[in-house]
Amino acid sequence: MNNKVIYTENLTKRFGKFVAVDRISFEVNKGEIFGFLGANGAGKTTAMRMLCGLSRPTSGKGVVAGYDIFKQSEYVKKNIGYMSQKFSLYEDLKVWENLRLFGGIYGMKEKEISAKTDLILHELGLEKERNALIKTLPLGWKQKLSFSVSIFHEPEIVFLDEPTGGVDPVTRRQFWALIYAAADRGITIFVTTHYMDEAEYCDRLSIMVDGKIEALDTPGNLKSKYEARDMYDVFYQIARKAKRNDDQP
């Protein structure tokens, strides 16, 4: 498991009689862009919450960044980044204030925070917006800034929950350029998305149906196996088997 930053074996989450995540087993390699797909109700959000140390599994095994998600969830949280589908920065703080705040939360030193802030603002082309309130920025800039904050402390893994929802195609391409740059630095990307063109950008994909992983392979191999032209067709063939439509009971 030296190169495995995520490892699960029969990972399960039940809510009463409802099995949200049903004995899933998979591995994710360091620096990999791993797509975690599934229709609404498939269980992917519940699975991601367990991997992030935010929800205790019912049974099975899970190791993230070298830490047991059952016994060491606090260490898991310190070694990952997370970006939710809902924008998570503080709207009434300035751009630089958000970066400084999260740098402090991640336990970074003042000089490191200052240097990293300057670097990020330069890379995003936001130097002139340094003192702007977050709520005044366009959605696309907010999303890119939120991603940069999620990897501000250079975590081993960053979990992205539908990060490009609601942004235009040009901004989505720019966002994925940031993802590729992070992966090139060795940060593992674990991403959920409803955009099947984005699924094509991943190194490997898993597709969940009714709490189980029904398929796991590279986009090319999946298209070949299902004799599909694109990932839209692959996803449709697999996801249409679903019998439930809610992620929670």
Side-chain angles (χ1 to χ4, degrees), residues 5-18:
V5 293
I6 299 176
Y7 169 82
T8 73
E9 183 178 338
N10 295 321
L11 191 64
T12 301
K13 180 68 176 182
R14 294 188 181 91
F15 297 94
K17 295 182 179 179
F18 178 77

Side-chain angles (χ1 to χ4, degrees), residues 141-196:
W141 284 5
K142 289 181 181 180
Q143 296 294 73
K144 288 184 284 187
L145 185 61
S146 186
F147 174 71
S148 295
V149 165
S150 73
I151 60 171
F152 197 75
H153 56 313
E154 294 292 317
E156 287 197 50
I157 309 159
V158 62
F159 290 86
L160 307 176
D161 189 4
E162 298 180 27
T164 57
V167 300
D168 61 83
V170 172
T171 301
R172 284 206 287 132
R173 286 195 295 272
Q174 293 171 344
F175 191 94
W176 273 88
L178 296 176
I179 289 178
Y180 280 127
D184 286 342
R185 297 202 305 274
I187 297 177
T188 301
I189 312 295
F190 188 99
V191 58
T192 70
T193 180
H194 283 302
Y195 296 111
M196 290 302 105

Side-chain angles (χ1 to χ4, degrees), residues 43-59:
K44 62 184 186 299
T45 298
T46 301
M48 181 181 280
R49 286 181 57 81
M50 288 191 287
L51 295 174
C52 291
L54 300 174
S55 178
R56 184 174 175 82
T58 304
S59 61

